Amino acid sequence: MENKLEINETVFYEGGPARGDLIVNLLFGLTLIGIPFAVGAIVRALWLRFRITSRRISVSGGWLGRDRTQVVYSQIREVRSVPRGFGAWGDMVVVLNDGAKLEMRAVPRFRELEAYIEEQRESRGKAAARTPGSTGAAGFAPPARESA
């Protein structure tokens, strides 16, 4: 008899970058200066994918979509976002506890996704604080308290 642990994970958003980013950069690519931006937008449209669930943020991208990054909410220190395309899409930066940053460009519904990520991050932080004897960020137990 095999004991399988199933993880319940609800997908909040799954998809690629905003279509408006591709359209604007293709129009800008008609000029000589805009060609590199158009190429970048085409590469993002072809191979960049976001997946935001109730447990983690997963970004796959890079050449042919081979690079994959996953971050759980307990690793997130803060979320920053900047609107682009007159607020239709935006760029997000997820700052991790160790100082590393995950950049997500041309995210559609970025305000809604930022609010969801903040909500999940805060609920994970409260759950970790309530758990007695929980481990720290580096995987070590908190220091023992000396009694006087």
Side-chain angles (χ1 to χ4, degrees):
M1 183 163 152
E2 212 174 293
N3 187 8
K4 291 185 179 181
L5 177 66
E6 290 195 25
I7 298 173
N8 293 331
E9 190 168 0
T10 306
V11 176
F12 185 74
Y13 175 77
E14 186 170 15
R19 295 185 204 279
D21 177 58
L22 177 64
I23 294 168
V24 167
N25 283 305
L26 285 176
L27 290 174
F28 190 50
L30 297 175
T31 67
L32 186 62
I33 296 171
I35 292 173
F37 298 108
V39 171
I42 292 168
V43 169
R44 280 194 301 274
L46 290 175
W47 296 310
L48 181 64
R49 295 292 174 259
F50 307 113
R51 182 179 167 105
I52 299 175
T53 68
S54 59
R55 298 181 58 86
R56 73 195 75 190
I57 299 171
S58 181
V59 179
S60 61
W63 191 251
L64 299 176
R66 293 182 183 157
D67 297 334
R68 173 165 272 215
T69 304
Q70 292 187 5
V71 175
V72 294
Y73 293 111
S74 61
Q75 295 175 332
I76 298 174
R77 180 176 23 173
E78 100 183 82
V79 180
R80 301 176 192 155
S81 66
V82 176
R84 287 186 32 213
F86 301 106
W89 67 88
D91 294 344
M92 293 178 64
V93 176
V94 177
V95 181
L96 305 180
N97 291 330
D98 64 356
K101 296 176 182 168
L102 173 64
E103 296 182 12
M104 298 187 291
R105 299 203 45 163
V107 179
R109 300 174 23 204
F110 74 101
R111 288 186 181 100
E112 182 182 339
L113 294 175
E114 180 184 20
Y116 181 77
I117 291 168
E118 283 290 338
E119 176 185 313
Q120 293 297 318
R121 184 184 69 83
E122 289 173 5
S123 69
R124 300 282 184 232
K126 289 178 184 174
R130 282 184 292 200
T131 308
S134 65
T135 60
F140 297 104
R145 297 182 186 176
E146 295 180 19
S147 58

